[in-house]
Amino acid sequence: AAAADDPRAKGFARLPPDGPSGKLYALLVVPIYAPKPEIVAWIGLALPIDHQFASDLKEDARLEVTFYFGASGDLLPVESTLPEGVVRPVAPSSIDADMSDVAVAGESYVTAYRPLRPLITPGRAAIALQRSLEAELAPSLLLENFLLILLLASLGVAAFIAPMFASNLSRP
């Protein structure tokens, strides 16, 4: 990251960049000034994007999390909180889509794709945040069922009380 472009840089890198053993890292790079605006050094922090990182993110956000990377062509899953067999078929062909419904193992998931900015590694990376549509709609379905029962009970009470009111109104 160049000092003139962005004095604080954040993004991702695949280290080592070539080969199948490369791992994805979240990077944060911050300049050290002496005096400002002269940058004398950079300090960086690299967090591995591994299963523990994805699981922690899932626990905090209550969402399924999948990280994708592609040096060229298709994006392939790197880490995910979803079962391994169902992640590859739902890999995005494009990370331009904002929100979409994705079928995962026969269940519908609301999915938001967000691109990750590369710092030192060529390629594309993205994060997919997913929540089961069934889990998302469960509170609404409970409310719908409660309101339906309330409606039926109200109609039953009204049907029971209506003849009594009608007989009182029709007598002289």
Side-chain angles (χ1 to χ4, degrees):
D5 294 337
D6 189 5
R8 293 183 187 167
K10 59 183 182 243
F12 79 91
R14 182 178 167 105
L15 302 172
D18 296 328
S21 64
K23 293 194 180 260
L24 208 56
Y25 289 86
L27 298 178
L28 173 65
V29 182
V30 180
I32 298 175
Y33 296 101
K36 202 168 186 174
E38 185 177 335
I39 297 174
V40 294
W42 290 86
I43 188 165
L45 176 66
L47 298 170
I49 296 177
D50 56 6
H51 189 71
Q52 182 64 43
F53 184 77
S55 296
D56 290 345
L57 201 56
K58 175 186 178 177
E59 188 176 308
D60 291 343
R62 293 180 297 164
L63 298 168
E64 299 292 341
V65 179
T66 305
F67 290 95
Y68 295 97
F69 177 78
S72 62
D74 293 338
L75 295 174
L76 299 174
V78 176
E79 286 297 334
S80 180
T81 57
L82 291 170
E84 194 170 317
V86 299
V87 176
R88 187 175 294 267
V90 298
S93 57
S94 168
I95 53 177
D96 298 331
D98 189 31
M99 296 274 288
S100 62
D101 288 341
V102 176
V104 177
E107 191 174 347
S108 185
Y109 279 78
V110 177
T111 305
Y113 295 104
R114 297 288 182 258
L116 301 175
R117 194 177 93 172
L119 277 183
I120 59 174
T121 306
R124 300 178 309 145
I127 182 173
L129 304 172
Q130 301 165 306
R131 182 159 167 114
S132 167
L133 192 57
E134 190 174 298
E136 193 72 29
L137 294 177
S140 298
L141 292 175
L142 281 172
L143 179 62
E144 180 182 354
N145 289 338
F146 173 74
L147 291 175
L148 183 60
I149 291 169
L150 184 63
L151 172 70
L152 293 174
S154 298
L155 287 174
V157 168
F160 180 74
I161 293 176
M164 289 187 275
F165 282 125
S167 66
N168 288 338
L169 290 175
S170 64
R171 289 188 193 152

